[in-house]
Amino acid sequence: MAPLLQVENLKTQFFTQDGIVSAVNGISFDLTEGETLGIVGESGCGKSVSMLSIMRLIPQPPGRIVDGKVIFEGKDLLKLSDEDMRKVRGNRIAMIFQDPMTSLNPVLTIGLQISEALMLHLGMSRRGARTRSTELLDLVGIPDAGARLDDYPHQFSGGMRQRVMIAMGLSCNPQLLIADEPTTALDVTIQAQIIDLVKKLKADIGMAIIWITHDLGVVAGLADRVLVMYAGHIIESARVKDLYGDPRHPYTLGLLRSIPRLDEQRQARLTPIEGLPPDLINPPPGCPFAPRCPFVLDRCWAEMPHLEPAGTNGHISACWVDVTDGRDSTRAVPRRESLQFMRGEIAQK
């Protein structure tokens, strides 16, 4: 069976007065029907820009998708006309944005904003769309849903506004739902409620989900597979259990080392990843993680590694070093005994 979504060599750049910002650098991945894919990485790594590129929502200018294919249900979205893309966007592919307060129109009622997509894409009457909007608000857990249709966004709490955004995303029964850090601005209790809601809706509706986040804790309980991004590149891809149990890229190791744990037998200091992400206007010639990597080799400064098999179940990683023993074909020893430093406590846990 063909994948629901195939992204091939997607490249997006922003043309600014200071130079060309290479935000997405040739990423490729597949998504099957009903699968939940997590995309993780620190701010500025290209997660959101990648998804906005898929949706063709990159502002032009200054942005431009300069290369690649996005095959969805057999069609290349990058080659569709604007009119045809509008029929896909919000209908077959829906997106939940990070901040619902800036995504919802403050001068339109919630009921009108949900009904708009139903009337546009499904051809519903105003009355039918209003009835369906009530059902959707009830589905996502809004109390007294029918009475809230005539309320405005400012009359809802942050968690409720995010539920409204989810209702809007689900309104046309999309095949793919893209969630761009939808729980970042919420407290942990509401985060847990939203995640449980999405898991329940996925089980009921059977849609595929792409969940963008910088929180590896969220991904662990939600996703089937994870992509790790850094400086516009995918640097590791694996099923959730494989990524957490056997990480193969130094950046992934660093992310895992920086997560506080609840099952600590003793207190342990979190280990930050030293340094800063690279300048995307003048990226380094080799591996973009080399300046921060404790495993760095001479070849890392000159050659960008490609994604290669690094384990079972399709686990791939872009690194010259086998971090399980800290060596590559040159038999180089990692600096600062970083193998023990970065992997030791993970193995114990």
Side-chain angles (χ1 to χ4, degrees), residues 29-31 35-41 47 211 213 215-216 218-229 234-244 252 255-256 307 313-316:
F29 65 90
D30 295 342
L31 180 71
E35 182 182 20
T36 299
L37 177 68
I39 303 181
V40 301
K47 307 184 299 295
W211 190 281
T213 184
D215 189 339
L216 283 167
V218 170
V219 169
L222 182 66
D224 301 310
R225 188 162 50 95
V226 184
L227 303 181
V228 182
M229 290 192 67
I234 294 175
I235 50 92
E236 186 164 9
S237 173
R239 300 196 65 80
V240 167
K241 290 184 178 180
D242 296 328
L243 189 85
Y244 285 76
T252 309
L255 291 178
L256 292 172
L307 288 167
N313 300 318
H315 193 158
I316 55 177

Side-chain angles (χ1 to χ4, degrees), residues 55 82-94 113-124 129 168-169 171-174:
M55 297 288 285
D82 290 344
E83 181 179 354
D84 288 339
M85 188 62 203
R86 281 193 292 269
K87 295 177 182 178
V88 173
R89 193 186 300 127
N91 183 17
R92 306 300 293 162
I93 305 177
Q113 294 187 62
I114 299 175
S115 298
E116 183 180 21
L118 295 169
M119 292 186 289
L120 177 64
H121 294 299
L122 302 184
M124 286 188 175
M168 292 176 65
S171 60
C172 297
N173 296 319

Side-chain angles (χ1 to χ4, degrees), residues 11-15 21 53 58-67:
K11 295 181 181 180
T12 301
Q13 297 177 343
F14 291 87
F15 297 82
V21 179
S53 299
I58 296 295
Q60 301 184 40
R64 188 189 307 164
I65 301 170
V66 297
D67 197 8

Side-chain angles (χ1 to χ4, degrees), residues 18-84:
D18 296 325
I20 299 175
V21 179
S22 299
V24 180
N25 296 295
I27 67 169
S28 300
F29 65 90
D30 295 342
L31 180 71
T32 59
E33 293 185 10
E35 182 182 20
T36 299
L37 177 68
I39 303 181
V40 301
E42 58 197 308
S43 297
C45 71
K47 307 184 299 295
S48 297
V49 174
S50 299
M51 296 305 106
L52 291 173
S53 299
I54 289 173
M55 297 288 285
R56 281 180 46 187
L57 292 174
I58 296 295
Q60 301 184 40
R64 188 189 307 164
I65 301 170
V66 297
D67 197 8
K69 297 180 180 179
V70 178
I71 310 298
F72 177 73
E73 296 184 327
K75 298 180 180 179
D76 187 351
L77 299 184
L78 302 185
K79 293 183 178 180
L80 295 182
S81 66
D82 290 344
E83 181 179 354
D84 288 339

Side-chain angles (χ1 to χ4, degrees), residues 108-176:
L108 298 179
T109 64
I110 293 299
L112 182 58
Q113 294 187 62
I114 299 175
S115 298
E116 183 180 21
L118 295 169
M119 292 186 289
L120 177 64
H121 294 299
L122 302 184
M124 286 188 175
S125 66
R126 187 176 296 274
R127 177 176 294 181
R130 186 176 176 85
T131 300
R132 176 58 178 160
S133 298
T134 303
E135 295 173 354
L136 287 165
L137 289 183
D138 185 61
L139 180 67
V140 297
I142 301 291
D144 198 13
R148 303 303 304 269
L149 287 178
D150 294 323
D151 288 345
Y152 291 86
H154 72 272
Q155 296 175 275
F156 290 76
S157 67
M160 290 297 183
R161 285 195 292 266
Q162 198 58 273
R163 290 171 184 265
V164 170
M165 289 296 297
I166 294 173
M168 292 176 65
L170 297 176
S171 60
C172 297
N173 296 319
Q175 288 292 99
L176 170 60

